Amino acid sequence: MSPGQPLGAAHASAAGTSAGGAGAAGLDPRRDPELAVDVLLQALPYIERFRGAVVVVKFGGNAMGDPELFAQFASDVVLMHRVGMRPVVVHGGGPQIDEWLEKLGKESEFVGGRRVTDAETLEIAQMVLMGKVNTDIVTALNGFGPLALGLAGTDAHLLEAEVHDPELGFVGAVRKVNPELIVRTLAMDLIPVIATIGVDLDGQAYNINADDAATAIAEELGAEKLIFLTDVPGLLADANDPSSLITRVDGADVARMISDGTISGGMVPKMSGCVRAIGHGVGSVHLIDGRRPHVLLLELLTDAGVGTMVAAAPPQQESAR
Ligand code: ADP
Ligand code: MG
Protein backbone atom coordinates (compact mmCIF):
# COMPACT_ATOMS: atom_id res chain seq x y z
CA MET A 1 0.00 0.00 0.00
CA SER A 2 2.92 2.31 0.64
CA PRO A 3 3.49 4.59 -2.37
CA GLY A 4 7.14 5.05 -1.55
CA GLN A 5 9.75 4.31 1.02
CA PRO A 6 8.16 4.47 4.45
CA LEU A 7 11.10 6.59 5.63
CA GLY A 8 11.86 3.97 8.21
CA ALA A 9 15.35 5.32 8.85
CA ALA A 10 14.04 8.80 9.63
CA HIS A 11 11.46 7.24 11.88
CA ALA A 12 14.04 5.21 13.75
CA SER A 13 16.28 8.21 14.32
CA ALA A 14 13.43 10.40 15.48
CA ALA A 15 12.19 7.68 17.79
CA GLY A 16 15.72 7.42 19.11
CA THR A 17 16.01 11.13 19.85
CA SER A 18 12.56 11.14 21.38
CA ALA A 19 13.37 8.41 23.83
CA GLY A 20 15.03 10.88 26.18
CA GLY A 21 11.83 12.93 26.59
CA ALA A 22 10.03 13.03 29.91
CA GLY A 23 7.59 10.10 29.99
CA ALA A 24 4.74 10.29 27.48
CA ALA A 25 6.05 13.67 26.27
CA GLY A 26 8.64 11.70 24.30
CA LEU A 27 5.86 10.50 22.02
CA ASP A 28 4.11 13.84 21.73
CA PRO A 29 5.02 15.66 18.49
CA ARG A 30 3.80 18.93 20.03
CA ARG A 31 6.61 18.70 22.58
CA ASP A 32 9.10 16.93 20.36
CA PRO A 33 9.83 18.92 17.18
CA GLU A 34 11.91 16.11 15.68
CA LEU A 35 9.04 13.71 16.06
CA ALA A 36 6.76 16.31 14.47
CA VAL A 37 9.11 16.50 11.47
CA ASP A 38 9.15 12.72 11.28
CA VAL A 39 5.35 12.64 11.22
CA LEU A 40 5.32 15.11 8.34
CA LEU A 41 7.93 13.11 6.45
CA GLN A 42 5.91 9.94 6.84
CA ALA A 43 2.98 11.72 5.21
CA LEU A 44 5.00 13.16 2.32
CA PRO A 45 4.83 10.20 -0.11
CA TYR A 46 1.09 9.97 0.46
CA ILE A 47 0.64 13.70 -0.09
CA GLU A 48 2.60 13.38 -3.35
CA ARG A 49 0.61 10.37 -4.44
CA PHE A 50 -2.82 11.85 -3.76
CA ARG A 51 -2.19 15.41 -4.92
CA GLY A 52 -5.11 16.31 -7.19
CA ALA A 53 -6.84 13.00 -6.48
CA VAL A 54 -10.61 12.93 -6.19
CA VAL A 55 -11.47 11.19 -2.92
CA VAL A 56 -15.17 10.54 -2.31
CA VAL A 57 -15.93 10.27 1.39
CA LYS A 58 -19.27 8.88 2.52
CA PHE A 59 -20.04 10.26 5.96
CA GLY A 60 -22.66 8.31 7.91
CA GLY A 61 -25.25 9.54 10.32
CA ASN A 62 -23.71 7.61 13.19
CA ALA A 63 -20.37 9.42 13.34
CA MET A 64 -22.23 12.74 13.22
CA GLY A 65 -23.76 12.23 16.64
CA ASP A 66 -20.53 12.92 18.54
CA PRO A 67 -19.47 16.61 18.41
CA GLU A 68 -15.78 15.81 18.90
CA LEU A 69 -15.69 13.21 16.10
CA PHE A 70 -17.68 15.57 13.91
CA ALA A 71 -15.13 18.36 14.44
CA GLN A 72 -12.27 15.94 13.73
CA PHE A 73 -13.96 14.78 10.55
CA ALA A 74 -14.23 18.40 9.41
CA SER A 75 -10.58 19.19 10.14
CA ASP A 76 -9.47 15.96 8.40
CA VAL A 77 -11.41 16.87 5.24
CA VAL A 78 -9.98 20.40 5.32
CA LEU A 79 -6.47 19.01 5.73
CA MET A 80 -7.05 16.67 2.76
CA HIS A 81 -8.08 19.69 0.72
CA ARG A 82 -5.18 21.81 1.95
CA VAL A 83 -2.59 19.20 0.91
CA GLY A 84 -4.04 19.10 -2.60
CA MET A 85 -6.58 16.30 -2.62
CA ARG A 86 -10.05 16.97 -3.99
CA PRO A 87 -12.44 15.58 -1.37
CA VAL A 88 -16.11 15.12 -2.25
CA VAL A 89 -18.32 14.54 0.80
CA VAL A 90 -21.52 12.50 0.34
CA HIS A 91 -23.67 12.14 3.43
CA GLY A 92 -26.67 10.29 4.75
CA GLY A 93 -28.50 11.08 7.94
CA GLY A 94 -30.72 8.13 8.83
CA PRO A 95 -30.44 8.60 12.61
CA GLN A 96 -31.18 12.34 12.30
CA ILE A 97 -34.24 11.66 10.10
CA ASP A 98 -35.47 9.08 12.64
CA GLU A 99 -34.98 11.60 15.45
CA TRP A 100 -37.05 14.25 13.67
CA LEU A 101 -39.79 11.83 12.63
CA GLU A 102 -40.13 11.01 16.30
CA LYS A 103 -40.00 14.66 17.44
CA LEU A 104 -42.74 15.50 14.95
CA GLY A 105 -44.81 12.51 16.07
CA LYS A 106 -44.82 10.96 12.61
CA GLU A 107 -46.03 7.36 12.65
CA SER A 108 -44.28 5.20 10.05
CA GLU A 109 -45.37 2.13 8.20
CA PHE A 110 -42.80 -0.66 7.78
CA VAL A 111 -42.57 -3.34 5.09
CA GLY A 112 -40.17 -6.20 5.82
CA GLY A 113 -38.50 -4.13 8.54
CA ARG A 114 -37.89 -1.18 6.23
CA ARG A 115 -39.57 2.19 6.65
CA VAL A 116 -42.00 3.28 3.94
CA THR A 117 -41.20 6.80 2.76
CA ASP A 118 -44.58 8.44 2.19
CA ALA A 119 -44.91 12.04 0.98
CA GLU A 120 -44.74 13.47 4.50
CA THR A 121 -41.71 11.33 5.46
CA LEU A 122 -39.97 12.46 2.29
CA GLU A 123 -40.68 16.07 3.21
CA ILE A 124 -39.13 15.56 6.65
CA ALA A 125 -36.14 13.67 5.16
CA GLN A 126 -35.51 16.58 2.78
CA MET A 127 -35.74 19.14 5.56
CA VAL A 128 -33.37 17.18 7.78
CA LEU A 129 -30.80 16.19 5.14
CA MET A 130 -30.71 19.43 3.19
CA GLY A 131 -31.67 21.93 5.90
CA LYS A 132 -29.83 20.48 8.86
CA VAL A 133 -27.24 17.77 8.19
CA ASN A 134 -25.84 19.28 4.98
CA THR A 135 -25.77 22.74 6.53
CA ASP A 136 -24.02 21.45 9.66
CA ILE A 137 -21.26 19.77 7.62
CA VAL A 138 -20.80 22.78 5.33
CA THR A 139 -20.71 25.13 8.31
CA ALA A 140 -18.12 22.99 10.12
CA LEU A 141 -15.86 22.91 7.03
CA ASN A 142 -16.28 26.63 6.48
CA GLY A 143 -15.11 27.23 10.03
CA PHE A 144 -11.64 26.84 8.49
CA GLY A 145 -12.23 29.31 5.64
CA PRO A 146 -14.53 29.66 2.63
CA LEU A 147 -14.02 26.07 1.50
CA ALA A 148 -17.24 24.11 1.20
CA LEU A 149 -20.35 24.29 -0.96
CA GLY A 150 -23.52 22.43 -0.04
CA LEU A 151 -25.32 20.61 -2.84
CA ALA A 152 -28.25 18.24 -3.06
CA GLY A 153 -28.90 15.57 -5.66
CA THR A 154 -31.89 17.66 -6.73
CA ASP A 155 -29.60 20.51 -7.90
CA ALA A 156 -29.32 20.56 -11.71
CA HIS A 157 -30.35 16.87 -11.81
CA LEU A 158 -27.10 15.93 -10.04
CA LEU A 159 -28.68 12.63 -8.92
CA GLU A 160 -31.34 11.39 -11.34
CA ALA A 161 -33.52 8.94 -9.45
CA GLU A 162 -36.08 6.27 -10.18
CA VAL A 163 -38.32 4.24 -7.89
CA HIS A 164 -36.22 1.72 -5.96
CA ASP A 165 -39.03 -0.51 -4.74
CA PRO A 166 -42.68 0.56 -5.20
CA GLU A 167 -43.52 -0.87 -1.76
CA LEU A 168 -41.18 1.60 -0.05
CA GLY A 169 -42.65 4.79 -1.49
CA PHE A 170 -40.31 7.65 -2.33
CA VAL A 171 -37.08 5.70 -1.89
CA GLY A 172 -34.98 6.19 -4.98
CA ALA A 173 -32.32 4.28 -6.85
CA VAL A 174 -29.68 6.23 -8.76
CA ARG A 175 -30.60 6.22 -12.44
CA LYS A 176 -27.81 8.53 -13.54
CA VAL A 177 -25.27 10.93 -12.05
CA ASN A 178 -24.83 14.23 -13.85
CA PRO A 179 -21.43 15.25 -12.50
CA GLU A 180 -21.03 18.76 -14.02
CA LEU A 181 -22.00 20.56 -10.85
CA ILE A 182 -19.46 18.55 -8.82
CA VAL A 183 -16.74 19.03 -11.42
CA ARG A 184 -17.34 22.77 -11.49
CA THR A 185 -17.36 22.98 -7.71
CA LEU A 186 -13.99 21.19 -7.63
CA ALA A 187 -12.67 23.50 -10.34
CA MET A 188 -13.51 26.42 -8.04
CA ASP A 189 -11.29 24.72 -5.45
CA LEU A 190 -14.28 24.10 -3.19
CA ILE A 191 -15.33 20.97 -1.34
CA PRO A 192 -18.72 19.71 -2.57
CA VAL A 193 -20.92 18.38 0.24
CA ILE A 194 -23.80 16.38 -1.22
CA ALA A 195 -27.14 15.46 0.37
CA THR A 196 -28.52 12.37 -1.31
CA ILE A 197 -32.02 13.44 -2.26
CA GLY A 198 -32.49 12.67 -5.96
CA VAL A 199 -35.06 13.75 -8.51
CA ASP A 200 -36.76 12.04 -11.45
CA LEU A 201 -37.33 13.63 -14.82
CA ASP A 202 -40.81 14.81 -13.74
CA GLY A 203 -39.36 16.69 -10.79
CA GLN A 204 -40.40 14.17 -8.12
CA ALA A 205 -37.85 13.92 -5.29
CA TYR A 206 -36.69 10.63 -3.71
CA ASN A 207 -34.58 9.75 -0.71
CA ILE A 208 -31.57 7.75 -1.94
CA ASN A 209 -29.37 5.49 0.20
CA ALA A 210 -26.19 7.51 0.72
CA ASP A 211 -23.93 4.48 0.16
CA ASP A 212 -25.53 3.90 -3.25
CA ALA A 213 -25.23 7.58 -4.12
CA ALA A 214 -21.57 7.79 -3.01
CA THR A 215 -20.73 4.72 -5.10
CA ALA A 216 -22.45 6.09 -8.20
CA ILE A 217 -20.78 9.50 -7.76
CA ALA A 218 -17.31 7.95 -7.29
CA GLU A 219 -17.81 5.83 -10.43
CA GLU A 220 -18.99 8.78 -12.49
CA LEU A 221 -16.05 10.94 -11.33
CA GLY A 222 -13.55 8.09 -11.81
CA ALA A 223 -12.41 8.78 -8.24
CA GLU A 224 -8.99 7.62 -7.03
CA LYS A 225 -10.55 6.58 -3.74
CA LEU A 226 -13.94 5.92 -2.26
CA ILE A 227 -14.00 5.82 1.53
CA PHE A 228 -16.99 4.79 3.62
CA LEU A 229 -16.99 5.98 7.21
CA THR A 230 -19.18 3.66 9.21
CA ASP A 231 -19.90 2.65 12.81
CA VAL A 232 -18.00 -0.66 12.88
CA PRO A 233 -14.23 -1.34 12.55
CA GLY A 234 -14.80 -2.50 8.94
CA LEU A 235 -16.24 -5.64 7.41
CA LEU A 236 -16.51 -8.27 10.14
CA ALA A 237 -16.48 -12.06 9.78
CA ASP A 238 -19.00 -12.02 12.62
CA ALA A 239 -21.10 -8.83 12.78
CA ASN A 240 -21.33 -9.22 16.57
CA ASP A 241 -17.57 -9.54 17.13
CA PRO A 242 -15.65 -6.28 16.57
CA SER A 243 -12.36 -8.17 16.74
CA SER A 244 -13.23 -10.25 13.64
CA LEU A 245 -12.12 -7.53 11.20
CA ILE A 246 -11.40 -8.66 7.63
CA THR A 247 -8.70 -6.37 6.27
CA ARG A 248 -9.13 -7.25 2.61
CA VAL A 249 -11.96 -8.72 0.54
CA ASP A 250 -12.70 -9.19 -3.14
CA GLY A 251 -15.95 -9.51 -5.08
CA ALA A 252 -16.17 -13.28 -4.69
CA ASP A 253 -15.76 -13.02 -0.90
CA VAL A 254 -18.47 -10.36 -0.72
CA ALA A 255 -20.91 -12.37 -2.88
CA ARG A 256 -20.39 -15.42 -0.67
CA MET A 257 -20.79 -13.43 2.55
CA ILE A 258 -24.02 -11.80 1.32
CA SER A 259 -25.52 -15.14 0.24
CA ASP A 260 -24.66 -16.88 3.52
CA GLY A 261 -25.96 -13.95 5.59
CA THR A 262 -22.59 -12.89 7.09
CA ILE A 263 -23.20 -9.48 5.54
CA SER A 264 -26.65 -8.12 6.39
CA GLY A 265 -28.67 -4.92 6.80
CA GLY A 266 -27.04 -1.66 5.74
CA MET A 267 -23.80 -3.52 5.01
CA VAL A 268 -25.39 -5.21 1.95
CA PRO A 269 -25.78 -2.12 -0.26
CA LYS A 270 -22.49 -0.77 1.09
CA MET A 271 -20.41 -3.84 0.20
CA SER A 272 -22.21 -4.41 -3.12
CA GLY A 273 -21.40 -0.80 -3.92
CA CYS A 274 -17.73 -1.26 -2.99
CA VAL A 275 -17.39 -4.20 -5.38
CA ARG A 276 -19.23 -2.40 -8.16
CA ALA A 277 -17.04 0.70 -7.77
CA ILE A 278 -13.80 -1.30 -7.98
CA GLY A 279 -15.08 -2.98 -11.15
CA HIS A 280 -15.98 0.42 -12.65
CA GLY A 281 -12.67 2.21 -12.41
CA VAL A 282 -12.54 3.61 -8.87
CA GLY A 283 -8.91 3.25 -7.76
CA SER A 284 -9.45 1.84 -4.29
CA VAL A 285 -12.33 1.42 -1.89
CA HIS A 286 -12.06 1.40 1.90
CA LEU A 287 -14.49 0.82 4.71
CA ILE A 288 -13.26 2.47 7.91
CA ASP A 289 -14.45 3.18 11.43
CA GLY A 290 -15.89 6.69 11.67
CA ARG A 291 -15.81 6.42 15.48
CA ARG A 292 -12.02 6.31 15.50
CA PRO A 293 -10.38 9.73 15.97
CA HIS A 294 -8.88 11.15 12.74
CA VAL A 295 -9.47 7.86 10.93
CA LEU A 296 -9.45 9.60 7.52
CA LEU A 297 -5.92 10.88 8.03
CA LEU A 298 -4.82 7.49 9.36
CA GLU A 299 -6.06 5.88 6.17
CA LEU A 300 -4.81 8.52 3.74
CA LEU A 301 -1.55 9.82 5.16
CA THR A 302 0.05 7.10 7.26
CA ASP A 303 1.51 3.64 6.80
CA ALA A 304 -1.19 2.18 9.04
CA GLY A 305 -3.72 -0.05 7.32
CA VAL A 306 -7.12 0.68 8.82
CA GLY A 307 -10.46 -1.04 8.26
CA THR A 308 -11.28 -3.12 5.21
CA MET A 309 -9.87 -2.63 1.74
CA VAL A 310 -12.00 -3.94 -1.13
CA ALA A 311 -9.87 -5.40 -3.89
CA ALA A 312 -10.73 -6.29 -7.48
CA ALA A 313 -9.19 -9.76 -7.29
CA PRO A 314 -7.29 -12.07 -4.93
CA PRO A 315 -3.75 -10.76 -4.17
CA GLN A 316 -1.90 -13.09 -6.58
CA GLN A 317 -3.98 -11.94 -9.57
CA GLU A 318 -3.63 -8.26 -8.84
CA SER A 319 -0.79 -6.23 -10.25
CA ALA A 320 0.93 -3.93 -7.78
CA ARG A 321 -0.63 -0.47 -7.54
P1 ADP B 1 -23.92 3.43 7.80
O1 ADP B 1 -24.51 3.40 6.40
O2 ADP B 1 -24.16 4.70 8.55
O3 ADP B 1 -22.47 3.04 7.80
P2 ADP B 1 -25.49 0.98 8.25
O4 ADP B 1 -26.31 0.63 9.46
O5 ADP B 1 -26.22 1.18 6.98
O6 ADP B 1 -24.66 2.30 8.68
O7 ADP B 1 -24.38 -0.13 8.00
C1 ADP B 1 -23.45 -0.54 9.00
C2 ADP B 1 -24.03 -1.69 9.85
O8 ADP B 1 -24.02 -2.92 9.12
C3 ADP B 1 -23.19 -2.02 11.07
O9 ADP B 1 -23.48 -1.17 12.14
C4 ADP B 1 -23.57 -3.47 11.36
O10 ADP B 1 -24.60 -3.53 12.31
C5 ADP B 1 -24.15 -3.98 10.06
N1 ADP B 1 -23.50 -5.20 9.55
C6 ADP B 1 -24.13 -6.27 9.02
N2 ADP B 1 -23.27 -7.22 8.64
C7 ADP B 1 -22.01 -6.79 8.96
C8 ADP B 1 -20.70 -7.35 8.84
N3 ADP B 1 -20.47 -8.56 8.32
N4 ADP B 1 -19.66 -6.59 9.26
C9 ADP B 1 -19.85 -5.36 9.79
N5 ADP B 1 -21.07 -4.78 9.95
C10 ADP B 1 -22.17 -5.48 9.55
MG1 MG C 1 -26.30 2.68 5.50
Side-chain angles (χ1 to χ4, degrees):
M1 243 177 88
S2 172
Q5 283 301 313
L7 298 164
H11 191 272
S13 85
T17 49
S18 317
L27 291 173
D28 183 353
R30 280 165 298 192
R31 298 192 201 172
D32 183 340
E34 288 184 56
L35 185 59
V37 167
D38 182 53
V39 170
L40 287 170
L41 284 174
Q42 190 190 116
L44 182 59
Y46 296 97
I47 293 172
E48 282 293 333
R49 176 174 172 184
F50 296 126
R51 202 163 44 159
V54 172
V55 181
V56 175
V57 180
K58 189 266 175 160
F59 188 42
N62 295 304
M64 286 174 207
D66 181 317
E68 201 171 331
L69 284 174
F70 186 74
Q72 288 173 356
F73 167 80
S75 68
D76 288 3
V77 171
V78 169
L79 196 138
M80 287 166 66
H81 180 260
R82 290 296 198 208
V83 299
M85 292 179 219
R86 293 186 289 167
V88 175
V89 177
V90 179
H91 67 86
Q96 288 78 2
I97 295 170
D98 291 348
E99 185 189 322
W100 278 94
L101 288 170
E102 197 179 321
K103 274 187 197 169
L104 296 168
K106 169 74 186 162
E107 302 275 347
S108 292
E109 189 194 329
F110 289 83
V111 173
R114 292 184 297 171
R115 189 193 302 277
V116 174
T117 301
D118 61 11
E120 205 177 24
T121 303
L122 175 69
E123 196 171 29
I124 294 167
Q126 277 185 283
M127 291 194 291
V128 173
L129 290 181
M130 292 155 75
K132 167 85 179 127
V133 178
N134 190 271
T135 306
D136 283 351
I137 299 172
V138 169
T139 304
L141 294 172
N142 285 334
F144 294 85
L147 295 171
L149 179 65
L151 300 171
T154 44
D155 293 332
H157 285 196
L158 198 165
L159 289 173
E160 269 183 42
E162 60 193 8
V163 174
H164 176 62
D165 175 346
E167 282 203 295
L168 296 180
F170 297 109
V171 173
V174 181
R175 190 173 160 272
K176 186 165 180 264
V177 176
N178 293 302
E180 291 81 6
L181 203 50
I182 305 174
V183 171
R184 286 183 191 217
T185 303
L186 292 173
M188 288 192 288
D189 209 19
L190 292 171
I191 304 167
V193 179
I194 303 166
T196 60
I197 301 287
V199 66
D200 71 12
L201 297 178
D202 298 324
Q204 171 65 51
Y206 294 85
N207 190 5
I208 297 180
N209 177 287
D211 292 329
D212 288 341
T215 303
I217 287 169
E219 286 177 14
E220 189 60 40
L221 294 174
E224 267 81 359
K225 263 185 192 277
L226 167 61
I227 300 177
F228 292 94
L229 291 179
T230 184
D231 62 348
V232 281
L235 182 63
L236 303 172
D238 172 358
N240 298 315
D241 177 4
S243 71
S244 66
L245 176 69
I246 303 172
T247 54
R248 180 188 171 103
V249 283
D250 62 32
D253 299 328
V254 168
R256 194 186 60 247
M257 291 173 75
I258 289 176
S259 70
D260 74 13
T262 309
I263 295 175
S264 62
M267 203 49 81
V268 175
K270 203 187 300 291
M271 293 311 300
S272 311
C274 291
V275 172
R276 208 167 57 234
I278 278 289
H280 290 178
V282 175
S284 68
V285 182
H286 298 264
L287 183 62
I288 61 177
D289 192 345
R291 302 164 308 173
R292 195 167 160 186
H294 296 294
V295 70
L296 268 177
L297 299 186
L298 278 173
E299 161 52 32
L300 287 160
L301 297 181
T302 76
D303 301 333
V306 291
T308 302
M309 178 176 169
V310 184
Q316 65 274 19
Q317 290 173 25
E318 200 184 43
S319 59
R321 266 205 262 281

